[in-house]
Amino acid sequence: MDAVHTADLAPHELRVLVAVDRERGFSAAARALGLTQSAVSHSIRGTERKVGAVLFERGRKGATPTPAGAAAAAHARRVLRLLDALVTEARAAERGEVTGPLRIAAFRSAALHLLPAALERLTARHPGIRPEVRVVRELGAGTAGEVAEGRADVGIATLGGASPVPAGLIGDVLVQEPYSLVHPAGHPDPRSLPLMDWHENCGSYTRDWWRRQDWIPKATVLTEDDGAVLSMVGNGHGMAIMPALSLTGAPATVEITDLGPDRPTRSVGYVTTPELASSLPVRALIRELRAARA
């Protein structure tokens, strides 16, 4: 296709693009938007013509985004969010109040133990802000990927090591979590127990530390989340190596043992886009997260 000026793209075309990407089909996108299928098809063809690339592979099972389509949809979500931010910032300048949704992606232990206090203070200071928290597994692109794809304004993510801040995003560390040995309370030889673990536990920088410890066996049980691991350890089924956030409110049936000065740590921080970093809701949340860290 011959590329033309993408400045001709209108917000309604971006909304159609995002809907087709989300729904994976023209008919489903049309239903979601209250349009006809032909209107959606016409809009996507026009967008493809303006962008100069095929954005979706059409088939009997729906519409699958091409690499160009996936990239375009991510940018479209971010542009549409900026348009929302324009309204929020303008109203705040006129009325002196911050309103509107604030989309947050967080992994499980951060959502349970890091966010609540910050959100309580945030909404007390700014009642018009409506936090929307979605728990995202910290695997692959994880929470930072949700921000990069335009699905979240802020991500609470693990930073550094195998999970650096993706290109195009900005972020900062909020908490350095030490790892500890967790085992059934009162067990005479906890290091002899089988190892409990879960998929998201730690990045390669911590795994390197694990590999140097000849007393740590291969995991016997691999679960979906840290809550399941903590429950199994508390019921006497094994030991685990867990970060501090996951141990918040640990039951009396478990004992937490320091791993010494060479113990591994995990950096937990926030990530956002450069364009949203200066928006009032995001700045307010980051301020409360930093206050919680202090």
Side-chain angles (χ1 to χ4, degrees):
M1 293 183 181
D2 294 326
V4 298
H5 295 295
T6 56
D8 292 335
L9 283 171
H12 74 268
E13 292 175 296
L14 300 182
R15 293 188 182 95
V16 171
L17 168 60
V18 168
V20 174
D21 177 73
R22 181 183 64 246
E23 304 294 339
R24 290 297 193 266
F26 287 15
S27 297
R31 287 193 296 272
L33 295 171
L35 300 173
T36 64
Q37 181 177 339
S38 61
V40 169
S41 298
H42 177 76
S43 179
I44 293 298
R45 284 196 301 271
T47 300
E48 289 177 326
R49 190 163 55 249
K50 293 175 182 180
V51 172
V54 175
L55 302 180
F56 295 96
E57 296 290 346
R58 285 79 160 169
R60 287 182 296 176
K61 294 184 178 181
T64 303
T66 64
H75 283 290
R77 283 188 289 268
R78 288 170 66 165
V79 170
L80 291 171
R81 188 66 183 105
L82 279 180
L83 292 177
D84 290 339
L86 181 154
V87 175
T88 298
E89 303 290 306
R91 288 177 177 172
E94 181 182 65
R95 305 173 187 174
E97 61 182 18
V98 185
T99 62
L102 177 60
R103 305 172 305 161
I104 306 164
F107 59 90
R108 181 184 178 277
S109 59
L112 286 175
H113 307 303
L114 186 61
L115 271 177
L119 292 181
E120 182 180 7
R121 288 193 299 269
L122 175 71
T123 52
R125 292 179 191 271
H126 306 286
I129 293 179
R130 302 190 306 275
E132 300 172 358
V133 180
R134 191 154 52 90
V135 176
V136 175
R137 299 188 73 190
E138 195 68 332
L139 296 171
T143 56
E146 294 297 296
V147 176
E149 291 287 320
R151 295 186 177 92
D153 305 326
V154 180
I156 307 302
T158 52
L159 304 178
S163 303
V165 177
L169 300 183
I170 60 174
D172 192 19
V173 174
L174 296 166
V175 177
Q176 289 279 3
E177 293 186 90
Y179 278 80
S180 300
L181 171 63
V182 189
H183 53 88
H187 195 281
D189 187 14
R191 294 192 178 197
S192 67
L193 293 168
L195 180 68
M196 312 278 107
D197 204 1
W198 74 101
H199 294 285
E200 299 171 81
N201 190 7
C202 51
S204 62
Y205 58 105
T206 305
R207 297 291 182 188
D208 290 341
W209 176 88
W210 283 33
R211 281 190 287 271
R212 295 194 299 270
Q213 314 304 310
D214 55 11
W215 60 274
I216 301 180
K218 185 176 179 179
T220 302
V221 175
L222 191 63
T223 74
E224 287 298 310
D225 61 55
D226 51 351
V229 168
L230 198 57
S231 175
M232 295 185 76
V233 171
N235 281 281
H237 296 297
M239 64 167 178
I241 311 293
M242 304 183 73
L245 276 178
S246 296
L247 297 174
T248 305
T253 53
V254 305
E255 188 172 335
I256 301 169
T257 300
D258 194 296
L259 287 168
D262 295 327
R263 65 190 178 188
T265 61
R266 180 173 72 170
S267 299
V268 177
Y270 71 88
V271 294
T272 187
T273 62
E275 58 267 24
L276 285 177
S278 60
S279 69
L280 292 174
V282 170
R283 283 166 48 201
L285 175 62
I286 292 171
R287 183 167 55 247
E288 298 303 343
L289 286 168
R290 284 175 171 159
R293 173 192 63 182

Coordinates of all heavy atoms in Angstrom, one line a residue, residues 86-155:
L86 N -6.6 15.0 28.2 CA -6.8 16.4 27.8 C -8.0 16.9 28.5 O -8.0 18.0 29.1 CB -7.0 16.5 26.3 CG -7.2 17.8 25.6 CD1 -6.7 17.8 24.2 CD2 -8.6 18.3 25.6
V87 N -9.1 16.2 28.5 CA -10.3 16.6 29.1 C -10.1 16.7 30.6 O -10.5 17.7 31.3 CB -11.5 15.7 28.8 CG1 -12.8 16.1 29.6 CG2 -11.8 15.7 27.3
T88 N -9.5 15.7 31.2 CA -9.3 15.7 32.7 C -8.4 16.9 33.1 O -8.8 17.6 34.1 CB -8.6 14.4 33.1 OG1 -9.4 13.3 32.8 CG2 -8.2 14.4 34.6
E89 N -7.3 17.2 32.4 CA -6.4 18.3 32.7 C -7.1 19.6 32.5 O -6.9 20.5 33.4 CB -5.2 18.2 31.9 CG -4.4 16.9 32.0 CD -3.7 16.7 33.3 OE1 -3.0 17.5 33.8 OE2 -4.0 15.6 33.9
A90 N -7.9 19.7 31.5 CA -8.6 21.0 31.3 C -9.6 21.3 32.4 O -9.7 22.4 32.9 CB -9.3 21.0 29.9
R91 N -10.4 20.3 32.7 CA -11.4 20.5 33.8 C -10.7 20.8 35.1 O -11.2 21.6 35.9 CB -12.2 19.2 33.9 CG -13.2 19.0 32.8 CD -14.0 17.8 32.9 NE -15.0 17.6 31.8 CZ -15.7 16.5 31.6 NH1 -15.5 15.5 32.4 NH2 -16.6 16.5 30.6
A92 N -9.5 20.1 35.4 CA -8.8 20.3 36.6 C -8.3 21.8 36.6 O -8.3 22.4 37.7 CB -7.6 19.4 36.7
A93 N -7.8 22.3 35.5 CA -7.3 23.7 35.4 C -8.5 24.7 35.7 O -8.2 25.7 36.3 CB -6.7 23.9 34.1
E94 N -9.7 24.3 35.3 CA -10.8 25.3 35.4 C -11.4 25.2 36.8 O -11.7 26.2 37.4 CB -11.8 25.0 34.3 CG -13.0 25.9 34.4 CD -14.1 25.6 33.4 OE1 -14.7 24.5 33.5 OE2 -14.3 26.4 32.5
R95 N -11.6 23.9 37.3 CA -12.3 23.7 38.5 C -11.5 23.4 39.7 O -11.9 23.4 40.9 CB -13.3 22.5 38.3 CG -14.2 22.7 37.1 CD -15.0 21.4 36.9 NE -15.8 21.5 35.7 CZ -16.5 20.5 35.2 NH1 -16.5 19.3 35.8 NH2 -17.2 20.7 34.1
G96 N -10.2 23.2 39.5 CA -9.3 22.9 40.6 C -9.5 21.5 41.2 O -9.1 21.3 42.3
E97 N -10.0 20.6 40.4 CA -10.2 19.2 41.0 C -9.8 18.2 39.9 O -9.9 18.4 38.7 CB -11.7 19.0 41.3 CG -12.7 19.1 40.2 CD -14.1 18.9 40.6 OE1 -14.4 19.0 41.8 OE2 -14.9 18.6 39.7
V98 N -9.3 17.1 40.4 CA -8.8 16.0 39.5 C -9.9 14.9 39.5 O -10.3 14.4 40.5 CB -7.5 15.4 40.0 CG1 -7.0 14.4 39.0 CG2 -6.5 16.5 40.2
T99 N -10.4 14.6 38.3 CA -11.4 13.6 38.2 C -11.1 12.6 37.1 O -10.1 12.7 36.3 CB -12.8 14.2 37.8 OG1 -12.6 14.9 36.5 CG2 -13.2 15.2 38.9
G100 N -11.9 11.5 37.1 CA -11.7 10.5 36.0 C -11.1 9.2 36.4 O -10.6 9.1 37.5
P101 N -11.1 8.2 35.5 CA -10.5 6.9 35.8 C -9.0 7.0 35.8 O -8.3 7.8 35.2 CB -11.0 6.0 34.7 CG -11.2 7.0 33.5 CD -11.7 8.3 34.2
L102 N -8.4 6.1 36.6 CA -7.0 5.9 36.7 C -6.7 4.4 36.6 O -7.0 3.6 37.5 CB -6.4 6.4 37.9 CG -4.9 6.2 38.1 CD1 -4.1 6.9 37.0 CD2 -4.4 6.8 39.5
R103 N -6.3 3.9 35.4 CA -6.1 2.4 35.2 C -4.8 2.0 35.7 O -3.7 2.4 35.2 CB -6.3 2.2 33.7 CG -7.6 2.7 33.1 CD -7.6 2.6 31.6 NE -6.4 3.2 31.0 CZ -5.9 2.9 29.8 NH1 -6.6 2.1 29.0 NH2 -4.9 3.5 29.3
I104 N -4.8 1.0 36.6 CA -3.6 0.5 37.2 C -3.5 -1.0 37.0 O -4.4 -1.8 37.2 CB -3.6 0.8 38.7 CG1 -3.8 2.2 39.0 CG2 -2.3 0.3 39.4 CD1 -4.2 2.5 40.4
A105 N -2.3 -1.5 36.5 CA -2.0 -2.9 36.4 C -1.0 -3.3 37.5 O 0.0 -2.6 37.6 CB -1.5 -3.2 35.0
A106 N -1.3 -4.3 38.2 CA -0.4 -4.7 39.3 C -0.3 -6.2 39.4 O -1.3 -6.9 39.2 CB -0.8 -4.1 40.6
F107 N 0.8 -6.7 39.8 CA 0.9 -8.2 40.1 C 0.3 -8.4 41.5 O 0.1 -7.5 42.3 CB 2.3 -8.7 40.0 CG 3.3 -8.1 40.8 CD1 3.6 -8.6 42.1 CD2 4.0 -7.0 40.4 CE1 4.5 -8.1 42.9 CE2 5.0 -6.4 41.2 CZ 5.3 -6.9 42.5
R108 N 0.0 -9.7 41.8 CA -0.9 -10.0 42.9 C -0.5 -9.4 44.2 O -1.3 -8.8 44.9 CB -1.0 -11.5 43.0 CG -2.0 -12.0 44.1 CD -2.0 -13.5 44.2 NE -2.8 -14.0 45.3 CZ -2.4 -14.0 46.6 NH1 -1.2 -13.7 46.9 NH2 -3.2 -14.5 47.5
S109 N 0.8 -9.7 44.6 CA 1.2 -9.2 46.0 C 1.2 -7.7 46.1 O 0.9 -7.2 47.1 CB 2.5 -9.9 46.4 OG 3.5 -9.5 45.5
A110 N 1.5 -7.1 45.0 CA 1.5 -5.6 45.0 C 0.1 -5.1 45.1 O -0.1 -4.1 45.8 CB 2.2 -5.0 43.7
A111 N -0.8 -5.7 44.4 CA -2.2 -5.3 44.5 C -2.8 -5.5 45.9 O -3.6 -4.7 46.3 CB -3.0 -6.1 43.4
L112 N -2.3 -6.5 46.5 CA -2.8 -6.9 47.9 C -2.2 -6.0 49.0 O -2.9 -5.6 49.9 CB -2.6 -8.3 48.2 CG -3.5 -9.4 47.5 CD1 -3.1 -10.8 47.8 CD2 -5.0 -9.2 47.8
H113 N -0.9 -5.7 48.8 CA -0.2 -5.2 50.0 C 0.5 -3.9 49.8 O 0.9 -3.2 50.7 CB 0.9 -6.2 50.4 CG 0.3 -7.6 50.7 ND1 -0.7 -7.8 51.6 CD2 0.6 -8.8 50.1 CE1 -1.0 -9.1 51.6 NE2 -0.2 -9.7 50.7
L114 N 0.7 -3.4 48.5 CA 1.3 -2.2 48.3 C 0.3 -1.1 47.9 O 0.5 0.1 48.3 CB 2.4 -2.3 47.2 CG 3.3 -1.1 46.9 CD1 4.1 -0.7 48.1 CD2 4.2 -1.4 45.7
L115 N -0.6 -1.4 47.0 CA -1.5 -0.4 46.5 C -2.6 0.1 47.5 O -2.9 1.3 47.5 CB -2.3 -1.0 45.3 CG -1.6 -0.8 43.9 CD1 -2.4 -1.5 42.8 CD2 -1.5 0.7 43.6
P116 N -3.2 -0.8 48.3 CA -4.4 -0.3 49.1 C -4.1 1.0 49.9 O -5.0 1.9 49.9 CB -4.7 -1.5 50.0 CG -4.2 -2.7 49.2 CD -3.0 -2.2 48.5
A117 N -3.0 1.1 50.6 CA -2.8 2.3 51.4 C -2.6 3.5 50.6 O -3.1 4.6 50.9 CB -1.5 2.0 52.3
A118 N -1.9 3.3 49.4 CA -1.7 4.5 48.5 C -3.0 4.9 47.9 O -3.3 6.1 47.8 CB -0.7 4.1 47.4
L119 N -3.9 3.9 47.6 CA -5.2 4.3 47.0 C -6.1 4.9 48.0 O -6.9 5.8 47.6 CB -5.8 3.1 46.3 CG -5.1 2.5 45.1 CD1 -5.9 1.3 44.6 CD2 -5.0 3.5 44.0
E120 N -6.0 4.5 49.2 CA -6.8 5.1 50.3 C -6.5 6.6 50.4 O -7.4 7.5 50.5 CB -6.6 4.4 51.6 CG -7.5 4.9 52.7 CD -7.3 4.2 54.0 OE1 -6.4 3.3 54.1 OE2 -8.1 4.5 55.0
R121 N -5.2 6.9 50.5 CA -4.8 8.3 50.6 C -5.1 9.1 49.3 O -5.5 10.3 49.4 CB -3.3 8.4 50.9 CG -2.9 8.0 52.3 CD -1.5 8.4 52.6 NE -0.6 7.7 51.7 CZ 0.0 6.5 52.0 NH1 -0.3 5.9 53.1 NH2 0.8 6.0 51.1
L122 N -4.9 8.4 48.2 CA -5.2 9.1 46.9 C -6.7 9.5 46.8 O -7.0 10.7 46.4 CB -4.9 8.1 45.7 CG -5.2 8.7 44.3 CD1 -4.2 9.8 43.9 CD2 -5.1 7.5 43.3
T123 N -7.6 8.6 47.1 CA -9.0 8.9 46.9 C -9.5 9.9 48.0 O -10.5 10.6 47.8 CB -9.8 7.7 46.9 OG1 -9.5 6.8 48.0 CG2 -9.6 6.8 45.6
A124 N -8.8 9.9 49.2 CA -9.1 10.9 50.2 C -8.8 12.3 49.7 O -9.5 13.2 50.0 CB -8.4 10.5 51.5
R125 N -7.6 12.4 49.1 CA -7.2 13.7 48.6 C -7.9 14.1 47.3 O -8.2 15.3 47.1 CB -5.7 13.7 48.3 CG -4.8 13.5 49.5 CD -3.3 13.5 49.0 NE -2.4 13.1 50.1 CZ -1.8 14.0 50.9 NH1 -2.1 15.3 50.8 NH2 -1.0 13.5 51.8
H126 N -8.2 13.1 46.5 CA -8.9 13.4 45.2 C -10.1 12.5 45.0 O -10.0 11.5 44.3 CB -7.8 13.2 44.1 CG -6.6 14.0 44.2 ND1 -6.5 15.4 44.0 CD2 -5.3 13.6 44.6 CE1 -5.3 15.8 44.2 NE2 -4.5 14.7 44.6
P127 N -11.2 12.8 45.6 CA -12.4 12.0 45.5 C -12.8 11.7 44.1 O -13.5 10.7 43.8 CB -13.4 12.7 46.3 CG -12.7 13.6 47.2 CD -11.5 14.0 46.4
G128 N -12.5 12.6 43.2 CA -13.0 12.4 41.8 C -12.2 11.4 41.0 O -12.6 11.0 39.9
I129 N -11.0 11.0 41.5 CA -10.3 9.9 40.8 C -10.9 8.6 41.1 O -11.2 8.2 42.2 CB -8.8 10.0 41.2 CG1 -8.1 11.3 40.8 CG2 -8.0 8.8 40.7 CD1 -6.7 11.4 41.2
R130 N -11.1 7.8 40.0 CA -11.7 6.5 40.2 C -10.6 5.4 39.8 O -10.4 5.1 38.6 CB -12.9 6.3 39.3 CG -14.0 7.4 39.5 CD -15.2 7.1 38.8 NE -15.0 6.9 37.4 CZ -15.0 7.9 36.5 NH1 -15.1 9.1 36.9 NH2 -14.8 7.7 35.2
P131 N -9.9 4.9 40.8 CA -8.9 3.8 40.4 C -9.6 2.6 39.9 O -10.6 2.1 40.4 CB -8.2 3.6 41.8 CG -8.6 4.7 42.6 CD -9.9 5.2 42.2
E132 N -9.0 2.0 38.9 CA -9.4 0.7 38.3 C -8.2 -0.2 38.3 O -7.3 0.0 37.5 CB -9.9 0.9 36.9 CG -11.1 1.9 36.8 CD -11.5 2.2 35.3 OE1 -10.8 1.7 34.4 OE2 -12.4 3.0 35.1
V133 N -8.2 -1.1 39.2 CA -7.0 -2.0 39.4 C -7.3 -3.4 38.8 O -8.3 -4.0 39.0 CB -6.7 -2.2 40.9 CG1 -5.5 -3.1 41.1 CG2 -6.5 -0.8 41.6
R134 N -6.3 -3.8 38.0 CA -6.4 -5.1 37.3 C -5.2 -5.9 37.7 O -4.0 -5.4 37.5 CB -6.5 -4.9 35.8 CG -6.9 -6.2 35.1 CD -7.5 -5.9 33.8 NE -6.8 -5.0 33.0 CZ -5.8 -5.4 32.1 NH1 -5.6 -6.6 31.9 NH2 -5.1 -4.5 31.4
V135 N -5.4 -7.1 38.2 CA -4.2 -7.9 38.6 C -3.8 -8.7 37.3 O -4.5 -9.3 36.6 CB -4.7 -9.0 39.7 CG1 -3.5 -9.9 39.9 CG2 -5.1 -8.2 40.9
V136 N -2.5 -8.5 37.1 CA -1.8 -9.1 35.9 C -0.7 -9.9 36.3 O 0.1 -9.5 37.2 CB -1.3 -7.9 34.9 CG1 -0.6 -8.5 33.7 CG2 -2.5 -7.1 34.5
R137 N -0.6 -11.1 35.7 CA 0.6 -12.0 36.1 C 1.9 -11.4 35.6 O 2.0 -10.9 34.4 CB 0.4 -13.4 35.4 CG -0.9 -14.0 35.9 CD -1.0 -15.5 35.5 NE 0.0 -16.3 36.2 CZ 0.3 -17.6 35.9 NH1 -0.3 -18.1 34.8 NH2 1.2 -18.2 36.6
E138 N 2.9 -11.4 36.4 CA 4.2 -10.8 36.1 C 5.0 -11.8 35.3 O 6.1 -12.2 35.8 CB 4.8 -10.3 37.4 CG 6.0 -9.4 37.1 CD 5.6 -8.0 36.6 OE1 4.6 -7.9 35.9 OE2 6.3 -7.0 36.8
L139 N 4.5 -12.2 34.2 CA 5.2 -13.1 33.3 C 5.2 -12.5 31.9 O 4.3 -11.8 31.5 CB 4.4 -14.5 33.2 CG 4.4 -15.3 34.5 CD1 3.4 -16.4 34.3 CD2 5.7 -15.7 34.9
G140 N 6.3 -12.8 31.1 CA 6.4 -12.2 29.8 C 6.4 -10.7 29.9 O 7.2 -10.1 30.7
A141 N 5.6 -10.0 29.1 CA 5.6 -8.5 29.2 C 5.0 -8.0 30.5 O 5.4 -6.9 30.9 CB 4.7 -8.0 28.0
G142 N 4.2 -8.8 31.2 CA 3.7 -8.4 32.5 C 3.0 -7.1 32.6 O 2.4 -6.6 31.6
T143 N 3.1 -6.5 33.8 CA 2.3 -5.2 34.0 C 2.9 -4.1 33.1 O 2.2 -3.2 32.7 CB 2.4 -4.8 35.5 OG1 3.7 -4.8 35.9 CG2 1.7 -5.8 36.3
A144 N 4.2 -4.1 32.9 CA 4.8 -3.0 32.1 C 4.3 -3.2 30.7 O 4.1 -2.1 30.0 CB 6.3 -3.2 32.1
G145 N 4.1 -4.4 30.2 CA 3.5 -4.6 28.9 C 2.1 -4.0 28.8 O 1.7 -3.5 27.7
E146 N 1.3 -4.1 29.8 CA 0.0 -3.5 29.8 C 0.0 -2.0 29.6 O -0.8 -1.4 28.9 CB -0.8 -3.8 31.1 CG -1.0 -5.3 31.3 CD -2.0 -5.8 30.3 OE1 -3.1 -5.4 30.2 OE2 -1.5 -6.7 29.5
V147 N 1.0 -1.4 30.2 CA 1.2 0.1 30.0 C 1.7 0.4 28.6 O 1.1 1.3 28.0 CB 2.2 0.6 31.1 CG1 2.5 2.1 30.8 CG2 1.7 0.4 32.5
A148 N 2.7 -0.4 28.2 CA 3.2 -0.1 26.8 C 2.1 -0.3 25.7 O 2.1 0.4 24.7 CB 4.4 -1.1 26.5
E149 N 1.2 -1.3 26.0 CA 0.1 -1.5 25.0 C -1.1 -0.6 25.2 O -2.1 -0.7 24.5 CB -0.4 -3.0 25.2 CG 0.6 -4.0 24.8 CD 0.8 -4.1 23.3 OE1 -0.3 -4.1 22.6 OE2 1.9 -4.3 22.8
G150 N -1.0 0.3 26.1 CA -2.1 1.3 26.3 C -3.2 0.8 27.1 O -4.3 1.4 27.1
R151 N -3.1 -0.4 27.7 CA -4.2 -0.9 28.5 C -4.2 -0.4 30.0 O -5.2 -0.7 30.7 CB -4.2 -2.4 28.5 CG -4.4 -3.0 27.1 CD -4.5 -4.5 27.1 NE -4.8 -5.1 25.8 CZ -3.8 -5.5 25.0 NH1 -2.5 -5.4 25.3 NH2 -4.1 -5.9 23.8
A152 N -3.1 0.2 30.4 CA -3.1 0.7 31.8 C -2.3 2.0 31.7 O -1.4 2.2 30.9 CB -2.4 -0.3 32.7
D153 N -2.6 2.9 32.7 CA -1.9 4.2 32.8 C -0.6 4.0 33.6 O 0.4 4.6 33.3 CB -2.8 5.2 33.5 CG -4.1 5.4 32.8 OD1 -4.1 5.2 31.5 OD2 -5.1 5.6 33.5
V154 N -0.7 3.1 34.6 CA 0.4 2.9 35.5 C 0.5 1.4 35.8 O -0.5 0.7 35.9 CB 0.3 3.6 36.9 CG1 1.5 3.3 37.8 CG2 0.1 5.1 36.7
G155 N 1.7 0.9 35.8 CA 1.9 -0.5 36.2 C 2.8 -0.6 37.4 O 3.8 0.1 37.5

